[in-house]
Amino acid sequence: MEPRKADTTVEHWIAEITAAKKREADYRKHGERILEIYEGKHKMPFNILYSNTETLMPALYSQQPVPVVQRRFKDEDPLGKAAALAGKRVLSFLLDTNLEEYDAFDDAMIAATLDAALPGRGNLAIQYRATMGQYEAESPDAEPTEYVRQETVCCDILTWNRVYYGYAKKWSKVPWVAYEIFIDRAEAERLFGRAVANRLVYTDVETNPNEDTKERDEAADKRGEKHTTRIYQIWDKDGGRQIRYLSEQLRDRFLKVEDDPLHLSGFFNCPRPLQFLRKTHSMTPTALYRLYEEQAEELNELTRRLRKIMIGLKVRGIYDSALGDELKKLLQADDNELTPADKSSSLAAEKGLDNAIWMFPNEKIVQIVRELYLAREQCKQTIYEITGISDIIRGATKASETLGAQEIKAQWGTMRVRNYQKEVQRFARDLLRMMLEVAATRFNEDTWAKMTGLPFLTTMQAQQLQLVMQTAMAQGVQPDPQMMAQLQQPVWGQVIQVLRDDLQRAYRIDIETNSTVEPEAADDHKALTELFTALSQVLNGLGPLVVQGSLPFEAAQSLLLFVARRFRYGEEIEDQIKMMKAPTPPDQQNGAEAVKQEKQLAQKELAMQQKEAEQAVKMKQMDADMAIKQKEMDLQMRELALQVEQDQLKMERQAAQQELTMKAQGEHQRLAYEQKSAQLQNTKFKTENVVNQKADQTLGKGVTAMQSMVKELAGLVLKQSQEHQQMMTALMKVLSAPRNKRAVRGKDGRIERIEEELVA
């Protein structure tokens, strides 16, 4: 179907919005009145609307839904499974982002459900928000480059009476959706520019300043100093999928016209409205309160009458004046107290107090009060029948009722409420589908990787990794197994493409939600019990066949996966089932045990050989250390002998020098000191004796030290030789000693290992 030619005149769209307001004028009028009743602005003796709404709300929406994104046909589809897992994680993050500047999904669902329960229609819109950053410019003349620093998809809570729809009898035929928005001057300048913003009029009331009606003054929303203007944002589906902004103040042009920013398959940024009263001939909603408004008025009238009658229901009467103060004393008397009568003659004449006192007849009034209470309860039951609120929801059960009776009430008494619950779940599911579609269309691969935490590669990373592997293979280098495993996994570009393509997403992925009503622990326990029971039955039936070889393991594994995928928690154990390995047949198990024992014996023999080799290496190392120490001692002896020789030569040289000096002195002084020649000769002999004695002492000390070192070295060599001989003797005894082999059996009687023991 080709889109119609868009009417570009502002007057046409103002007329369309005016017609939409007229079509839903009664709905908006009744909606405002119903909200006032719910909020207590109207004095109601029995506010049944508030009671029913507070009872229905927990039954309709009591918890944030959990996104369920899974393969539609439960088959073996790795790419579809990766896309489903990524979509589930993104939606789980978007439902709980903890961003204060955006409406939380839970708050948005509560607001939409309350609007649907009171005025009759709940509306929410999807918004894409991105925070931009800038890269630094490479040069002073270049402009900085922008990039997406953070992006998200959030819900926008729409005011129930500020959303308008084009004329249609069902949602698929709606041509346009318009939102009435109030913005201030700063927002107008950001959206439309300063020139257009200066032409708009801003007031302190959220109404049209051009309207001059009494309702404008009565319904004005005073907000202090904040001044705003009203504009309309129109999502024109049939007119070329464009968004038009207009104001009733400027009828000569649109404020702004832009193309579809979200590229949703349904174009509109809002799902089908949430309405509890189904219609096939009109999209104008009807509030649930309108269905029992007359009964509510009757309930209020009965309560008013009860109040008035209860005011007149008093204990009143007259008594005989002759009694005087006697009756007053009697009324003031305590328990078991008797009061003497001064007017005994009067009491005797009246034959007791019963004849002296005449009470006002309240019996008829009491009967009327009882009938009014019964009528009010009957009126309440009529309202409960109209709304579908059963006694099991309110907890008004009898103590004599059995658990089975209460379960039957919960099953059949809440059938109409279940329709409301189903509608809430449908609305939440549509929102999740739209959020995932926007995320697949607008989010980049880095955002997907950060939000989900999945170990998939981006397209650029995959290309770089492939280039590295090709380069390594060209150089003859074997690729890394981890790199090969990463390339075998889906790439973010492929995963996002599945979610982005409307047909593939519809064919391969099913997006649902779990219950939006608070589940009980018994439901979870029941689901787990059913899953375990089914798996146990399958394993008990197929296990013996697989062990006997009658059924291939792959067939049994496929059947087990088929069963597990049909249950609530089955997909969470799917990967573990795929990791199961085929059992080994009994004959192969015996062969495997024998091979295992042989391997153990071979490992033990190898260990013994390794120990012997280590001992031989240690002995060789000890011999080498002994040779090195012997050489070091020889060098030390040689150095000591050389030092003694050097000291002896030095002493001889000193003696020769002294002798020459003395001879020269004697030759020169021979004539002058002839008389002292004998004395000088004696001195010479004394000097030589002293020198010889010192030389003998030094040589003796060196010889003594050398002898002690030789003795120590000989003792060390002898000790090491003895240790070496003892070690070799012990080793030969261990190697040549006889051994007994003993088989160690396990609990099942089979041989686990062979142990060897030395014969004592």
Side-chain angles (χ1 to χ4, degrees):
M1 180 179 178
E2 296 182 358
R4 65 173 175 81
K5 186 177 180 180
D7 194 334
T8 57
T9 61
V10 178
E11 294 293 341
H12 165 76
W13 286 105
I14 292 178
E16 286 284 324
I17 294 175
T18 303
K21 291 181 179 180
K22 290 181 180 180
R23 285 196 300 270
E24 298 183 348
D26 292 339
Y27 154 69
R28 300 176 189 279
K29 180 179 179 181
H30 292 306
E32 293 178 357
R33 180 175 57 84
I34 290 170
L35 283 175
E36 291 177 354
I37 294 174
Y38 173 78
E39 295 172 357
K41 294 182 179 180
H42 294 180
K43 291 185 178 180
M44 294 289 178
F46 198 109
N47 196 339
I48 190 66
L49 173 63
Y50 177 82
S51 175
N52 288 346
T53 304
E54 293 302 304
T55 302
L56 274 175
M57 282 297 294
L60 299 179
Y61 182 84
S62 58
Q63 70 163 0
Q64 180 173 287
V66 177
V68 179
V69 187
Q70 57 190 357
R71 288 159 292 176
R72 182 176 296 276
F73 301 110
K74 314 291 185 183
D75 54 359
E76 191 68 24
D77 184 7
L79 184 57
K81 181 181 178 181
L85 181 59
K88 181 179 180 180
R89 291 197 178 190
V90 162
L91 288 178
S92 299
F93 174 80
L94 294 177
L95 294 187
D96 189 16
T97 57
N98 295 326
L99 299 177
E100 296 182 355
E101 60 268 24
Y102 306 125
D103 294 330
F105 185 86
D106 191 51
D107 296 337
M109 282 296 302
I110 292 175
T113 307
L114 188 60
D115 287 344
L118 291 173
R121 182 168 64 195
N123 305 274
L124 292 178
I126 298 298
Q127 291 184 337
Y128 168 76
R129 291 287 182 264
T131 303
M132 306 302 294
Q134 289 185 350
Y135 292 113
E136 296 182 359
E138 297 180 356
S139 61
D141 298 335
E143 295 182 357
T145 305
E146 290 187 347
Y147 69 95
V148 178
R149 185 173 60 186
Q150 182 183 4
E151 51 188 346
T152 186
V153 180
C154 58
C155 292
D156 183 21
I157 301 176
L158 303 175
T159 306
W160 67 275
N161 58 352
R162 292 180 182 174
V163 183
Y164 308 97
Y165 301 92
Y167 177 75
K169 292 185 178 180
K170 55 184 179 179
W171 174 251
S172 60
K173 301 298 182 182
V174 173
W176 54 267
V177 177
Y179 306 127
E180 183 179 352
I181 306 173
F182 289 84
I183 60 175
D184 55 11
R185 182 183 293 275
E187 183 68 12
E189 291 181 359
R190 186 186 69 84
L191 291 174
F192 316 122
R194 181 171 298 180
V196 176
N198 291 335
R199 296 180 60 186
L200 300 175
V201 178
Y202 305 89
T203 62
D204 60 347
V205 294
E206 287 192 353
T207 55
N208 190 346
N210 296 328
E211 294 179 357
D212 188 11
T213 59
K214 184 182 297 184
E215 289 79 7
R216 175 180 181 274
D217 297 333
E218 294 177 356
D221 183 15
K222 300 293 183 180
R223 296 177 300 161
E225 298 296 329
K226 187 173 183 179
H227 292 68
T228 59
T229 185
R230 178 170 60 182
I231 65 171
Y232 294 96
Q233 183 191 60
I234 305 172
W235 289 67
D236 185 9
K237 181 179 180 181
D238 288 354
R241 290 182 172 242
Q242 290 184 330
I243 303 176
R244 309 175 189 277
Y245 296 84
L246 63 87
S247 173
E248 295 174 330
Q249 303 175 30
L250 302 180
R251 296 174 179 261
D252 57 340
R253 54 165 294 180
F254 289 102
L255 302 178
K256 184 180 179 181
V257 178
E258 62 182 9
D259 295 331
D260 183 10
L262 300 180
H263 301 287
L264 293 169
S265 57
F267 174 67
F268 297 131
N269 66 334
C270 62
R272 175 163 61 90
L274 178 60
Q275 297 179 198
F276 295 138
L277 187 61
R278 299 178 180 178
K279 293 183 179 181
T280 59
H281 64 284
S282 174
M283 284 198 59
T284 302
T286 300
L288 295 179
Y289 182 70
R290 295 279 294 163
L291 302 179
Y292 62 92
E293 188 171 6
E294 292 184 2
Q295 286 74 19
E297 289 294 334
E298 180 183 354
L299 184 63
N300 290 330
E301 183 62 27
L302 290 172
T303 305
R304 293 190 190 97
R305 292 183 63 185
L306 273 171
R307 181 182 298 175
K308 292 179 180 179
I309 293 176
M310 293 297 290
I311 293 175
L313 186 61
K314 299 179 179 179
V315 179
R316 293 167 293 181
I318 58 177
Y319 63 93
D320 188 359
S321 60
L323 296 176
D325 295 336
E326 299 296 328
L327 185 61
K328 183 177 181 181
K329 293 179 181 179
L330 180 62
L331 294 176
Q332 294 177 352
D334 202 353
D335 292 340
N336 300 324
E337 182 180 352
L338 299 178
T339 302
D342 296 336
K343 307 292 184 180
S344 58
S345 58
S346 299
L347 291 176
E350 297 293 340
K351 297 181 180 180
L353 288 176
D354 293 338
N355 295 327
I357 300 175
W358 298 272
M359 300 299 297
F360 184 83
N362 288 327
E363 291 80 6
K364 295 182 179 180
I365 298 178
V366 171
Q367 185 65 27
I368 293 174
V369 170
R370 291 175 180 174
E371 294 296 329
L372 286 176
Y373 272 115
L374 292 176
R376 191 171 72 166
E377 290 298 320
Q378 186 63 36
C379 184
K380 289 166 59 178
Q381 291 299 324
T382 304
I383 294 175
Y384 296 158
E385 291 179 3
I386 294 174
T387 57
I389 302 176
S390 65
D391 56 350
I392 194 64
I393 293 180
R394 293 181 176 270
T397 59
K398 297 180 181 179
S400 59
E401 290 181 349
T402 62
L403 177 61
Q406 294 183 3
E407 290 179 350
I408 292 175
K409 281 187 176 183
Q411 182 178 0
W412 297 101
T414 60
M415 291 185 64
R416 285 181 292 175
V417 177
R418 288 180 184 176
N419 291 331
Y420 301 160
Q421 295 174 351
K422 185 178 179 181
E423 177 66 11
V424 174
Q425 293 173 7
R426 189 274 313 166
F427 187 72
R429 180 200 62 195
D430 292 348
L431 284 172
L432 294 182
R433 288 181 175 178
M434 295 175 65
M435 294 173 68
L436 183 59
E437 189 175 354
V438 173
T441 305
R442 301 301 299 268
F443 287 0
N444 55 44
E445 296 182 7
D446 292 335
T447 301
W448 277 90
K450 292 177 182 178
M451 282 188 179
T452 61
L454 294 175
F456 301 152
L457 298 176
T458 62
T459 303
M460 183 177 297
Q461 291 174 346
Q463 293 175 355
Q464 294 176 354
L465 190 58
Q466 288 179 353
L467 182 60
V468 171
M469 290 188 62
Q470 291 175 1
T471 304
M473 294 178 66
Q475 296 176 357
V477 180
Q478 188 67 20
D480 188 1
Q482 294 182 355
M483 297 172 62
M484 294 289 293
Q486 286 182 346
L487 287 178
Q488 292 177 358
Q489 291 183 351
V491 182
W492 272 118
Q494 300 172 348
V495 174
I496 297 175
Q497 184 61 33
V498 173
L499 297 174
R500 186 174 297 173
D501 188 276
D502 296 337
L503 291 178
Q504 290 195 49
R505 185 176 62 253
Y507 291 156
R508 304 172 70 174
I509 304 298
D510 183 23
I511 305 172
E512 299 290 341
T513 63
N514 71 337
S515 177
T516 54
V517 182
E518 186 71 29
E520 297 181 357
D523 296 336
D524 291 339
H525 183 268
K526 183 179 179 181
L528 290 173
T529 303
E530 291 176 352
L531 175 60
F532 291 149
T533 302
L535 294 179
S536 299
Q537 292 177 355
V538 174
L539 291 174
N540 292 334
L542 301 180
L545 298 177
V546 174
V547 174
Q548 295 173 4
S550 302
L551 181 67
F553 173 76
E554 291 75 14
Q557 190 178 36
S558 299
L559 290 174
L560 192 62
L561 287 171
F562 178 81
V563 173
R565 288 168 180 165
R566 264 61 186 174
F567 286 87
R568 181 174 177 182
Y569 300 105
E571 291 191 355
E572 298 182 6
I573 62 173
E574 181 178 345
D575 294 335
Q576 285 71 22
I577 295 176
K578 290 181 180 180
M579 295 171 61
M580 294 174 61
K581 297 182 180 179
T584 305
D587 53 349
Q588 295 184 7
Q589 290 181 0
N590 296 332
E593 290 292 336
V595 172
K596 184 178 180 181
Q597 293 178 5
E598 292 179 358
K599 288 183 178 180
Q600 291 178 353
L601 292 174
Q603 290 176 357
K604 290 182 179 180
E605 292 179 358
L606 181 61
M608 291 294 295
Q609 293 177 1
Q610 290 179 352
K611 289 183 179 179
E612 292 176 359
E614 291 176 357
Q615 292 291 340
V617 171
K618 288 182 179 179
M619 294 298 296
K620 291 181 179 180
Q621 185 67 31
M622 292 175 63
D623 294 340
D625 293 339
M626 291 289 293
I628 292 172
K629 290 182 179 180
Q630 185 66 33
K631 290 181 179 180
E632 290 179 353
M633 294 179 67
D634 293 342
L635 290 175
Q636 291 178 357
M637 293 293 293
R638 292 178 183 179
E639 290 177 357
L640 183 59
L642 182 61
Q643 183 67 32
V644 172
E645 292 178 356
Q646 289 178 356
D647 292 341
Q648 186 176 2
L649 292 174
K650 184 177 180 180
M651 293 175 63
E652 291 178 354
R653 186 179 300 170
Q654 291 178 355
Q657 289 178 355
Q658 291 179 2
E659 185 177 359
L660 291 174
T661 302
M662 293 177 67
K663 286 180 179 180
Q665 291 178 356
E667 189 67 26
H668 289 293
Q669 297 178 1
R670 183 181 55 178
L671 297 176
Y673 300 99
E674 290 181 349
Q675 294 178 357
K676 295 183 179 180
S677 60
Q679 187 177 357
L680 288 174
Q681 189 67 28
N682 293 332
T683 303
K684 177 180 178 182
F685 289 148
K686 290 181 181 180
T687 302
E688 289 179 354
N689 290 333
V690 171
V691 172
N692 290 332
Q693 289 177 358
K694 290 183 178 180
D696 293 339
Q697 292 176 357
T698 302
L699 182 59
K701 291 180 180 179
V703 172
T704 303
M706 186 178 298
Q707 290 176 352
S708 62
M709 290 178 66
V710 170
K711 289 181 181 180
E712 291 179 358
L713 181 59
L716 181 60
V717 171
L718 180 59
K719 183 179 181 180
Q720 290 180 351
S721 177
Q722 291 175 354
E723 290 178 354
H724 176 69
Q725 186 65 29
Q726 292 175 358
M727 186 180 299
M728 289 301 295
T729 302
L731 181 59
M732 291 302 294
K733 287 182 180 180
V734 172
L735 294 176
S736 60
R739 293 178 172 82
N740 289 333
K741 294 185 178 180
R742 183 174 62 88
V744 179
R745 299 181 181 271
K747 296 181 179 180
D748 55 356
R750 296 178 180 178
I751 297 176
E752 292 184 347
R753 63 183 183 276
I754 302 298
E755 294 183 353
E756 293 184 355
E757 297 180 352
L758 294 177
V759 178

